[in-house]
Amino acid sequence: MANRERLQRAFYARDTLTVARHLLGQRLVRIVNGQRLSGRIVEVEAYIGQGDQACHAARGLTPRTKVMFGPPGFAYVYFIYGMHHCLNVVTEREGFPAAVLIRALEPLEGLPLMRHLRQNRPDDKLTNGPGKLCQALGITREMNSIDMVRSDVLFIEKETEKETEKETPVPDEAVQTTPRINVRGDERALTVPWRFLIKESPFCSRRSVTGKAEHP
DNA sequence: GAATCGATGGTCT
DNA sequence: GACCATCGATTCT
């Protein structure tokens, strides 16, 4: 297999919505004991600055949110509900707290180990949620503040479409945006369409938001 | 399919 | 002591 190109600092050092949109289709890679575990990113959410009440950094710099105020391309991993971890990638310039939460993957490499880490749940439920994908890839708080541009254990590889050498492997027609899942805050935080997903992917955490289920 | 609820511990007031 | 960017089981329609 050819060596894939990794996403560089400049990719992350942009407007958070742009980064979120273009993370769709890219490949998240985790190396465990020399083994590759990876998945295609199919769902993300943007958390942007102190004006965003749903953003952990809304209340300013604390020990926990410190990474979000740092340079782009670093991992922000937090522990929640006493049992789950969630993975973000820091975006924008140093000093401006923002990040993209990785919410779901389509499993690509290392399925046997992922199944083991996920107690043999069905393949379409291995990584279809932010807590689940961290469990499947063995991502914990120990990886908080890792530089994903330089790390040998956690990084994102560029997926280029063979035919068209566009920046994104996912065309606009395949992308859907919705409000973010399970956030608290003011009206703006609850309604702003900062969740991005690949419409037809069966590996997203949910298909629509409090929406009527279209039934086929 | 949708709504409800318990588990469980770090973070911040 | 309240809150929580979740998950999975249970209990409904």
Side-chain angles (χ1 to χ4, degrees):
Chain A
M1 177 195 298
N3 246 356
R4 285 173 206 279
E5 191 182 336
R6 184 183 293 207
L7 297 182
Q8 299 299 308
R9 192 86 55 208
F11 179 94
Y12 303 108
R14 297 180 289 171
D15 166 80
T16 306
L17 295 179
T18 302
V19 177
R21 160 67 181 88
H22 292 303
L23 274 176
L24 290 179
Q26 314 290 1
R27 181 181 303 224
L28 176 66
V29 182
R30 162 88 171 106
I31 309 290
V32 176
N33 295 328
Q35 187 189 348
R36 280 173 66 96
L37 304 181
S38 76
R40 175 178 178 241
I41 298 173
V42 298
E43 179 182 343
V44 298
E45 280 175 0
Y47 290 87
I48 312 177
Q50 302 198 52
D52 176 7
Q53 285 196 12
C55 182
H56 286 171
R59 307 204 181 202
L61 194 152
T62 68
R64 182 205 205 190
T65 61
K66 186 178 162 203
V67 193
M68 291 186 83
F69 285 83
F74 282 67
Y76 167 46
V77 181
Y78 64 88
F79 183 62
I80 191 152
Y81 296 117
M83 54 182 82
H84 300 292
H85 296 274
C86 292
L87 169 69
N88 299 248
V89 194
V90 175
T91 59
E92 314 230 11
R93 65 180 193 279
E94 184 167 2
F96 184 89
V100 175
L101 169 69
I102 314 293
R103 284 194 56 90
L105 304 174
E106 172 182 345
L108 293 175
E109 301 168 86
L111 275 281
L113 181 51
M114 288 195 211
R115 292 184 188 114
H116 177 253
L117 291 170
R118 291 275 301 134
Q119 285 88 40
N120 293 313
R121 307 208 175 271
D123 286 0
D124 64 344
K125 298 198 166 58
L126 290 179
T127 54
N128 64 331
K132 299 179 195 178
L133 73 91
C134 283
Q135 191 179 16
L137 299 194
I139 295 170
T140 68
R141 269 172 301 174
E142 292 173 15
M143 323 226 134
N144 187 43
S145 84
I146 276 184
D147 182 357
M148 295 179 74
V149 174
R150 306 259 177 238
S151 170
D152 289 323
V153 297
L154 184 66
F155 48 88
I156 301 176
E157 287 176 346
K158 178 186 274 185
E159 290 281 337
T160 45
E161 197 161 4
K162 291 166 192 168
E163 317 291 326
T164 72
E165 274 293 319
K166 296 189 174 173
E167 174 180 22
T168 171
V170 182
D172 286 344
E173 311 86 71
V175 177
Q176 182 180 8
T177 64
T178 79
R180 294 167 295 181
I181 306 287
N182 286 341
V183 295
R184 314 280 174 221
D186 55 14
E187 181 70 11
R188 175 167 177 268
L190 297 183
T191 56
V192 88
W194 289 353
R195 172 175 177 244
F196 297 76
L197 57 139
I198 298 179
K199 250 184 252 178
E200 77 283 4
S201 175
F203 299 95
C204 292
S205 65
R206 11 183 140 168
R207 199 149 290 274
S208 60
V209 137
T210 66
K212 304 297 176 190
E214 325 126 27
H215 55 114

